[in-house]
Amino acid sequence: MSAVSLPRSPQRLRRALLGAACLMAAGVARAARPAVLLRLSHVVAPDTPKGQMAQRFQALVHQRAGGRIRVEVHPDSSLWGDDDEMEALRLGAVEMLAPSLSKFGMAGVPEFEVFDLPYLFADLAQVRRVTQGDVGRELLQRLGRQQMLGLGFLDNGFKQMSAPRPLRAPSDYRGLRVRVQASRVLGEQMRALGAQAVVLPFAETQRALATGVVDAAENPLSNFLTQGLAALQPHLTLTQHGYLGYAVVTHPRFWASLSPGDRELLEAALAEALAHGNRLAAALDAQALATLQRTPDLQVHSLAADERATLRRHLQPVFDGFQRSFGPSLLRDVQRAVDGRS
Ligand code: LMR
């Protein structure tokens, strides 16, 4: 057994103890400085599926990494917004994003706009058969073309229309200026209804509605509620006409810079956080609906089955047109997954 030799004189002992204390303090300081900083930037409020997923991811990583990895969550476009977040990722000014699937088209991966097709999905179970299966895996791989590493999918929910009037029939859309995300499918969808599509970053939507730059918007309910849009839009029509979800992405260079152990830790924490967000999505949607139905000065309109069928028929040419532009196999694979045939 090796013995520790102690200094004999009290002075030398004091000096040795002081030296050891200094070394320990330096060690603590070193341990307190994280070896990895991961900034996760997103554009929505914390109380949404994406906001909650991000917070869960942060908590899990901090719990497990013992101070070695620090996750900073920047919600509400407080670090980067729709216009600059993907460029920031490429430049290493942020390490993780969760843009909506609609935003990857303009970033050079147009296949992601397939998710914007009107009435492609009837419910979240159908969405998950696509995102959690082979088609989803294949789509995430395609992000590599634009120097993004796709790590997983997250749901928000189905979009509903808000406007100065109820939107029961296709003709009710005529002449409205509607804020949309930068997606060709969403632009075409509004044009097919006789509305003008106005592409704006998410962070500018509220001001654009308040100042009359746009008249109407399409949002899942948790976004509509948490952005305070109920105070600006007197009518909310539950059209359920399209899906809004996300892909979590990082930069391959950042991911490669991590140790295998840290990568594994982050992957496991993210998988759990995404499962948490996906579990919450439907509940947050239902909660938001209940709150909005009680909101004074907001009228919530449900569509009858035949009204929904008419809207869907009206949007069918958009669906058919993009079917050609995506190429036959992508939509076929998506529809097979939706129907549970793959
Ligand atoms: C939008 O721009 O409307 C959405 O993509 C916002 C979001 O991230 O949910």
Side-chain angles (χ1 to χ4, degrees):
M1 203 207 278
S2 68
V4 178
S5 69
L6 287 173
R8 292 211 186 95
S9 86
Q11 244 173 7
R12 283 176 66 192
L13 178 62
R14 253 202 315 276
R15 264 205 308 276
L17 286 176
L18 196 64
C22 286
L23 278 176
M24 274 169 63
V28 167
R30 252 199 309 280
R33 194 175 329 120
V36 177
L37 171 65
L38 188 161
R39 290 161 291 185
L40 196 180
S41 170
H42 69 83
V43 301
V44 294
D47 205 8
T48 56
K50 186 159 61 179
Q52 293 294 299
M53 177 282 292
Q55 286 182 7
R56 177 61 67 98
F57 175 62
Q58 180 185 48
L60 289 172
V61 174
H62 287 183
Q63 226 172 61
R64 294 170 186 176
R68 207 177 57 260
I69 306 177
R70 187 161 100 231
V71 175
E72 284 178 8
V73 177
H74 299 273
D76 284 318
S77 308
S78 54
L79 184 61
W80 303 108
D82 286 339
D83 280 345
D84 46 19
E85 63 180 9
M86 297 210 193
E87 184 60 11
L89 187 72
R90 266 190 282 273
L91 295 174
V94 67
E95 286 72 34
M96 196 175 268
L97 302 172
S100 78
L101 303 176
S102 319
K103 292 172 186 167
F104 289 101
M106 293 299 179
V109 197
E111 299 92 317
F112 275 72
E113 291 179 355
V114 75
F115 289 98
D116 292 329
L117 287 173
Y119 291 112
L120 174 62
F121 303 109
D123 54 35
L124 288 182
Q126 291 190 350
V127 174
R128 287 188 191 148
R129 287 205 283 275
V130 176
T131 54
Q132 311 298 321
D134 290 345
V135 184
R137 253 190 307 282
E138 157 82 7
L139 282 168
L140 288 181
Q141 272 164 18
R142 294 188 192 192
L143 293 170
R145 287 202 314 251
Q146 295 299 330
Q147 300 163 56
M148 284 182 274
L149 181 67
L151 296 172
F153 287 97
L154 174 71
D155 291 324
N156 185 321
F158 288 89
K159 290 177 292 180
Q160 321 294 354
M161 290 298 310
S162 64
R165 53 183 184 251
L167 300 176
R168 293 200 162 279
S171 57
D172 295 329
Y173 289 75
R174 205 164 297 143
L176 287 177
R177 284 160 302 169
V178 186
R179 181 268 165 175
V180 293
Q181 305 173 78
S183 147
R184 293 168 311 151
V185 174
L186 300 180
E188 277 309 311
Q189 171 190 268
M190 288 307 158
R191 278 187 281 282
L193 293 166
Q196 185 189 337
V198 181
V199 173
L200 287 173
F202 186 66
E204 285 173 30
T205 304
Q206 190 195 47
R207 191 148 42 106
L209 283 167
T211 55
V213 170
V214 292
D215 312 300
E218 51 166 17
N219 279 291
L221 295 176
S222 59
N223 282 356
F224 182 77
L225 177 69
T226 53
Q227 293 300 304
L229 303 188
L232 302 168
Q233 297 265 268
H235 294 277
L236 179 66
T237 307
L238 303 179
T239 47
Q240 200 90 352
H241 61 282
Y243 167 75
L244 193 145
Y246 311 102
V248 176
V249 292
T250 186
H251 196 284
R253 188 183 47 228
F254 167 71
W255 213 241
S257 75
L258 299 167
S259 70
D262 284 350
R263 250 195 321 265
E264 214 171 283
L265 186 152
L266 290 172
E267 271 164 13
L270 185 64
E272 284 177 47
L274 289 172
H276 173 69
N278 281 334
R279 269 194 306 274
L280 271 182
L284 287 179
D285 194 69
Q287 267 171 33
L289 180 59
T291 306
L292 292 165
Q293 279 168 330
R294 289 194 307 267
T295 302
D297 302 328
L298 175 72
Q299 287 184 46
V300 180
H301 310 276
S302 297
L303 288 187
D306 62 325
E307 289 172 323
R308 189 166 299 186
T310 304
L311 184 60
R312 187 177 182 154
R313 247 193 334 273
H314 214 85
L315 292 170
Q316 189 64 38
V318 180
F319 203 104
D320 297 341
F322 277 97
Q323 179 153 16
R324 281 189 292 279
S325 96
F326 289 131
S329 69
L330 176 62
L331 205 53
R332 189 198 53 221
D333 293 349
V334 167
Q335 278 177 320
R336 274 207 188 125
V338 162
D339 301 342
R341 286 183 285 125
S342 68

